[in-house]
Amino acid sequence: MNELPKFFVPGPTWVRPEILAEMTRPMIGHRTSEFRELFRGIQRNLTPLFDTAGDTFVITSSGTGVMQAALENCVARRVLVTVCGAFSERWFAIAQSLGYEVDRLEVEWGQAIDPEALRDHLEGRRVHYDAVTLTHNETSTGVTNDVETLARIVHEESPDSLVLVDAVSSLGGIPVHVDAWQLDVCLASVQKGLALPPGITVVAASPRAFDRAKKRPYRGVYFDFLAYKTKADEESVPSTPSIPHFYALAKQLDDIVSGEGLEARFERHRQMRDITIARTSRFARLAADREHASPTVSALAPVKPPDEIRSQMKARGFTLGGGYGKWKDSTFRIGHMGDIPIEALNAMLDALDEVAQA
Ligand code: PLP
C-alpha cells in the first residue's frame, strides 16, 4: 500500500499522485477541439459541484484575484463586508484598495456571522449596498458560516444587493448550493477542498452578476466576467489558461462527482472534523465556536506552545498549519480537507497525541 499522506496544511492540501501526473501531459492549444472537450468535461462536473444550472467558468488566478474581480465586476460604489477572521477581512482590504465605500459587520474571531445582526444592519441602513460579501468557511479560525441563511437575509432586506461568496475552503468539502441559496458570485481556488495544486479558481455567476457587470464600463480585461461567460458559451477561455491545471481539474472533478460522490465526500469531511475535535480535546481547545466548527479545518489552542508542537510533528514527518493572523502565536491549524483519507488523519492524530502531551 502507498504511504499515507502526512501533509495537513489547510491549503494547499495534499494532492494525489495521479492528479499530479495529469499535470505532466503534453500541451494542447487552447483554441482546439481537444481543449473544448476538456472544458466541456469540467463544466459538466462544475454544475453539480456548485449545484447550479447557471454559468460556471475557470480563471487562471488564485482566489484573491477572483475576489478582486468579483468586486470590480459587481460593485459600483458601496459594499458591505462581513468579517469573522483574516480571509473575510481580505474582502475588506480589496474593496478599500479599489476605492469603494466599505462598511463592515464584524464578529469576534472564532464566531460565525450572526444572521440577526446582519438583518438588523440591513434594516437599519441608510445606504444602498451594491453587494454584500460572505465567507463560507473562514480558514483562519475554522468557522463555517451559514451562507444559506445569510444570503436569504440579504435577499429579503436588500433585494438589489448582490451576494458575493468566498467558498475557497468549503467547495468540495462542505455542501454549496448556488441556485437554492441564490448566490450571485461564488468562487473557490482549487488548492483546498478540491485538492489540486494552487493556480486556478472556479467560479459560478448569476444572470444578475452579468447584468451588473454590463453596467461597469471600466471593469478591466483579464478579469472581465462577461468575457469569461462569452468564451465559456463557446467552451473556451478568453486568454491562455494554465492547461496543466485544466487536465488535473478535469480528472479530479470526475473522481469527486462520479467516483467518491459529493455526499460521501461531505460526510467524510464531517467525520474528519468530529474525529479531530474529539481526539485533540485533552491537550487543545478548539478555538472556534463548536456549533460552527468547520468540516475542513480546525484551529486549535494547545496547552503546549503551538510552534513546538508543529516542529516536533515535522520531525516525525507530519506538516501541520500554523496559526493565522492575530492567532498566529496562540494556535495551530489542522487542514482535514480534500482527499485526505480518514486513516491518514488518525495516523497523524496518533503522533499528535504523543507530541502534544509529552
Ligand atoms: N479565502 C479563504 C477562505 C482562504 O482560505 C484563502 C486562502 O487561504 C483565500 C481566500 C485566498 O485564496 P488564494 O490564496 O487562492 O488567493
Side-chain angles (χ1 to χ4, degrees):
M1 197 180 108
N2 292 336
E3 207 188 325
L4 292 172
K6 292 184 159 184
F7 192 69
F8 292 86
V9 170
T13 188
W14 174 69
V15 180
R16 290 182 295 138
E18 54 269 44
I19 296 300
L20 286 176
E22 286 297 305
M23 296 192 70
T24 64
R25 286 172 54 183
M27 278 308 104
I28 50 174
H30 63 293
R31 305 285 180 227
T32 60
S33 57
E34 290 113 301
F35 184 81
R36 283 198 294 279
E37 199 182 318
L38 187 63
F39 190 89
R40 202 174 312 137
I42 290 171
Q43 281 209 308
R44 196 176 46 238
N45 284 325
L46 288 178
T47 297
L49 184 70
F50 279 114
D51 196 12
T52 179
D55 288 289
T56 58
F57 41 93
V58 183
I59 301 183
T60 298
S61 161
S62 89
T64 306
V66 183
M67 291 165 77
Q68 178 167 322
L71 290 168
E72 287 175 313
N73 278 267
C74 296
V75 175
R77 190 158 161 226
R78 193 165 196 133
V79 59
L80 175 65
V81 175
T82 57
V83 179
C84 61
F87 291 103
S88 38
E89 180 83 43
R90 187 167 293 187
W91 280 117
F92 185 81
I94 299 169
Q96 268 201 324
S97 79
L98 292 169
Y100 295 128
E101 293 168 43
V102 200
D103 289 346
R104 50 197 283 151
L105 177 75
E106 195 160 5
V107 287
E108 264 182 48
W109 278 44
Q111 302 298 310
I113 299 297
D114 174 9
E116 285 317 306
L118 178 62
R119 191 186 293 285
D120 289 349
H121 182 97
L122 291 173
E123 260 178 6
R125 82 196 192 286
R126 289 166 206 276
V127 294
H128 167 75
Y129 293 118
D130 295 318
V132 177
T133 70
L134 304 176
T135 302
H136 192 191
N137 191 77
E138 178 47 81
T139 321
S140 60
T141 60
V143 162
T144 305
N145 284 301
D146 179 357
V147 166
E148 177 179 12
T149 304
L150 295 169
R152 194 183 64 236
I153 287 170
V154 176
H155 292 303
E156 284 170 5
E157 301 298 335
S158 184
D160 294 337
S161 303
L162 300 187
V163 176
L164 312 182
V165 178
D166 166 348
V168 167
S169 57
S170 60
L171 194 72
I174 304 172
V176 171
H177 301 292
V178 165
D179 287 2
W181 298 349
Q182 293 182 272
L183 310 183
D184 292 296
V185 175
C186 182
L187 64 98
S189 38
V190 296
Q191 70 273 19
K192 309 224 181 216
L194 295 177
L196 288 158
I200 56 172
T201 295
V202 292
V203 189
S206 73
R208 295 202 319 162
F210 295 122
D211 286 346
R212 185 67 67 76
K214 282 181 197 146
K215 297 185 187 123
R216 300 272 307 129
Y218 300 111
R219 59 184 182 277
V221 170
Y222 187 80
F223 285 120
D224 176 5
F225 281 0
L226 293 175
Y228 279 91
K229 172 168 170 44
T230 305
K231 282 295 180 186
D233 289 345
E234 301 166 9
E235 297 171 336
S236 189
V237 285
S239 56
T240 317
S242 174
I243 291 167
H245 276 99
F246 276 63
Y247 284 137
L249 178 64
K251 170 154 177 57
Q252 179 67 335
L253 291 180
D254 265 344
D255 289 355
I256 291 174
V257 173
S258 309
E260 181 175 20
L262 284 167
E263 280 316 315
R265 193 172 176 88
F266 298 146
E267 179 54 27
R268 177 169 55 82
H269 280 81
R270 285 189 287 265
Q271 284 181 23
M272 290 199 290
R273 170 195 57 203
D274 294 345
I275 290 168
T276 302
I277 295 173
R279 294 201 56 192
T280 55
S281 63
R282 263 181 302 163
F283 54 81
R285 179 179 59 79
L286 182 71
D289 165 19
R290 177 66 178 90
E291 203 191 321
H292 297 97
S294 164
T296 59
V297 52
S298 298
L300 298 165
V303 177
K304 197 167 154 176
D307 278 354
E308 252 178 61
I309 292 180
R310 285 178 61 226
S311 61
Q312 286 169 18
M313 286 297 281
K314 190 83 189 165
R316 292 177 179 225
F318 293 101
T319 308
L320 306 184
Y324 200 93
K326 66 181 182 190
W327 281 4
K328 189 173 182 345
D329 296 330
S330 58
T331 64
F332 69 101
R333 292 175 304 156
I334 297 175
H336 33 77
M337 58 173 78
D339 288 340
I340 299 275
I342 289 182
E343 56 178 334
L345 178 70
N346 271 318
M348 183 277 286
L349 291 170
D350 288 344
L352 184 60
D353 200 47
E354 287 174 20
V355 160
Q357 298 189 82

